[in-house]
Amino acid sequence: MTKKNQSKRLTNQHKESKGVVGIFGDEAKSHDITVGKISLFVIKQLEKEFPQLSFQYKTSIKKEERKLTQN
């Protein structure tokens, strides 16, 4: 029953966001840019606060790397 509800919710969400337009539209692009800027700011703050540690900022993750993090 849960899968059916999730499927219905995702279908409605897809219709409301106008499918691909919602995913790749101006609002989505703006959101991605904002998240990226905030992420860089957080990394810089962490580097200041914890100079003994090293941090990485990646703009993309390879498929192989994603599989490793899911396990």
Side-chain angles (χ1 to χ4, degrees), residues 30-44:
S30 174
H31 175 266
D32 287 348
I33 290 168
T34 302
V35 169
K37 288 179 181 178
I38 292 169
S39 298
L40 283 173
F41 175 77
V42 169
I43 291 284
K44 288 179 182 177

Side-chain angles (χ1 to χ4, degrees), residues 2-44:
T2 304
K3 286 186 179 184
K4 191 171 187 173
N5 289 337
Q6 183 179 8
S7 176
K8 188 182 288 189
R9 180 185 59 78
L10 290 171
T11 298
N12 290 338
Q13 183 180 355
H14 189 71
K15 287 178 183 176
E16 286 175 21
S17 68
K18 296 175 183 68
V20 175
V21 173
I23 296 170
F24 298 108
D26 290 339
E27 199 172 310
K29 288 177 188 175
S30 174
H31 175 266
D32 287 348
I33 290 168
T34 302
V35 169
K37 288 179 181 178
I38 292 169
S39 298
L40 283 173
F41 175 77
V42 169
I43 291 284
K44 288 179 182 177

